[in-house]
Amino acid sequence: MELSEIYSNSYIIGKNNSSPKISFEVFPPKNGDISKLFEELRILKKYNPALVSLTYGASGGLNRFTFEDLKSLRDLDLTLMPHFTCVSMLKSEIENYIISVENLGIENILALRGDIPDYIKADELDFKHANELVEFIMSKTTLSIAVAGYPEGHIESKSLKEDIYYLKMKIDAGASAIFTQLFYDNDKFYRYADSVRSAGINLPIVAGIMPIRSVTQIHKMTGMARISVPNILCDAMEKYPHDIEKFGLEYVTNQCDELLKNHVDGLHFYTLNHSDIVSKILNNIL
Ligand code: FAD
């Protein structure tokens, strides 16, 4: 199912009977053994996900799902959305990749520029920004395209306003939905969504949700992308550094509850390939 269809009837409490749109992000297992991931996805499947997104060399790594992996994942009968980063790839390689994805019968893709490695000069790239990739995918395939959004601004941006200006370029190039960076402060998400709407973008904004497993994980994830950590969460990390999971479960449950009450278009869980905490959160909110 394509993105526009998945999110055509977004969750509006009291206005229709549609259920919340829940989706999951997973990454290729580091040891290459995909069977454990299959187990986790079978557990998560019972929450009837709108889609499952598949990272592509995330966090600067080279770890990627192979086409064989994508073929096997199709057998789980889930709507898949592979991510794709164009940085450090030639136009011809990009063309081959996206056409191969389409030939697998996959309908959606998350189009990203990716982080530019130190050894590459930005002006030597075939595609300098994600809007060019979106345009290219539109010209070569019928894939339905999502793009990344940053409620607190992308780290390279001078301002949120500038970031939203460039987001609009990705949308005008043909994207159908925005999947956001993780955040822990809902007010920042609401302000972002308002600014995106004011810029004339009327597409689904799917909220990135990262369950909390450990203090180290929060520091790593939020530090890399300059994501704010609300005081209440900072205090809890200081008070219970070894037992943050329990507090985190309550925190993220409340965060999701509030987003749903405020008619978020969808919740996209960064699962880190663990179904346990995500299942607990979903059991609390659904
Ligand atoms: P762009 O949209 O190109 O934006 C990058 C920066 O350039 C921004 O500051 C933007 O404001 C600016 N900009 C955009 N267009 C222009 C333009 N035309 N001219 C000038 N400036 C411009 N990374 C991975 O490696 N693998 C993944 O699987 C992955 N998945 C992700 C999933 C989500 C939901 C998100 C939010 C991020 C993900 N990332 C992933 C991280 C992403 O690759 C990085 O944040 C990367 O630095 C930017 O990619 P982008 O597509 O947002 O780039």
Side-chain angles (χ1 to χ4, degrees):
M1 198 189 283
E2 289 191 5
L3 291 162
S4 53
E5 205 183 328
I6 294 172
Y7 294 101
S8 63
N9 194 13
S10 288
Y11 182 60
I12 303 173
I13 289 183
K15 292 205 177 164
N16 64 33
N17 293 324
S18 118
S19 46
K21 298 284 184 284
I22 303 297
S23 54
F24 303 118
E25 178 191 284
V26 296
F27 57 77
K30 289 199 175 69
N31 62 6
D33 175 10
I34 205 159
S35 57
K36 172 84 172 62
L37 176 60
F38 269 70
E39 276 171 39
E40 301 292 337
L41 284 173
R42 283 201 187 93
I43 296 170
L44 292 172
K45 195 178 170 190
K46 73 174 186 216
Y47 298 101
N48 199 16
L51 59 84
V52 172
S53 86
L54 312 166
T55 68
Y56 186 93
S59 305
L62 294 173
N63 219 15
R64 288 170 193 168
F65 286 101
T66 63
F67 285 117
E68 283 310 308
D69 292 338
L70 296 184
K71 270 191 214 156
S72 344
L73 283 161
R74 269 183 337 194
D75 296 342
L76 285 172
D77 200 20
L78 292 161
T79 298
L80 300 179
M81 181 174 72
H83 301 191
F84 178 65
T85 63
C86 58
V87 76
S88 77
M89 269 177 111
L90 299 172
K91 204 172 190 172
S92 54
E93 295 169 322
I94 294 172
E95 181 168 351
N96 286 340
Y97 188 88
I98 56 177
I99 290 176
S100 304
V101 167
E102 184 171 40
N103 287 344
L104 286 173
I106 289 172
E107 290 175 283
N108 306 302
I109 194 160
L110 175 59
L112 300 148
R113 182 201 66 187
D115 293 324
I116 304 175
D118 295 342
Y119 58 88
I120 290 183
K121 288 198 184 111
D123 52 3
E124 286 171 2
L125 296 172
D126 270 359
F127 294 107
K128 291 177 183 51
H129 286 288
N131 62 295
E132 296 167 38
L133 175 64
V134 174
E135 206 177 316
F136 188 67
I137 298 174
M138 289 293 287
S139 72
K140 298 287 174 189
T141 72
T142 57
L143 289 166
S144 157
I145 306 168
V147 290
Y150 302 85
E152 301 186 49
H154 183 266
I155 35 169
E156 290 168 31
S157 295
K158 289 192 201 81
S159 65
L160 195 55
K161 196 172 167 201
E162 182 193 88
D163 211 24
I164 292 173
Y165 173 85
Y166 289 124
L167 174 70
K168 178 92 168 45
M169 283 176 73
K170 301 197 267 195
I171 304 305
D172 291 346
S176 302
I178 300 156
F179 281 68
T180 80
Q181 178 67 278
L182 68 102
F183 60 92
Y184 289 111
D185 183 342
N186 282 359
D187 286 340
K188 291 206 187 308
F189 175 82
Y190 301 140
R191 279 199 287 274
Y192 175 73
D194 284 348
S195 307
V196 169
R197 301 290 176 229
S198 304
I201 301 171
N202 282 308
L203 289 174
I205 307 174
V206 182
I209 304 294
M210 174 72 83
I212 295 171
R213 301 188 75 84
S214 72
V215 170
T216 319
Q217 171 229 341
I218 301 184
H219 283 317
K220 186 173 165 214
M221 297 295 177
T222 57
M224 274 190 316
R226 280 209 310 257
I227 293 157
S228 23
V229 183
N231 287 342
I232 178 171
L233 193 47
C234 286
D235 292 348
M237 289 197 294
E238 259 184 46
K239 265 198 214 154
Y240 331 108
H242 304 297
D243 190 23
I244 194 69
E245 214 177 296
K246 191 162 162 253
F247 179 88
L249 174 62
E250 197 184 322
Y251 186 91
V252 177
T253 297
N254 291 339
Q255 188 191 1
C256 293
D257 253 340
E258 203 208 76
L259 286 164
L260 291 177
K261 285 190 185 115
N262 282 286
H263 311 163
V264 70
D265 293 319
L267 298 175
H268 187 60
F269 287 88
Y270 295 105
T271 70
L272 300 179
N273 290 7
H274 291 292
S275 61
D276 52 355
I277 303 187
V278 180
S279 297
K280 284 182 192 162
I281 297 167
L282 289 172
N283 293 341
N284 286 343
I285 62 171
L286 296 179

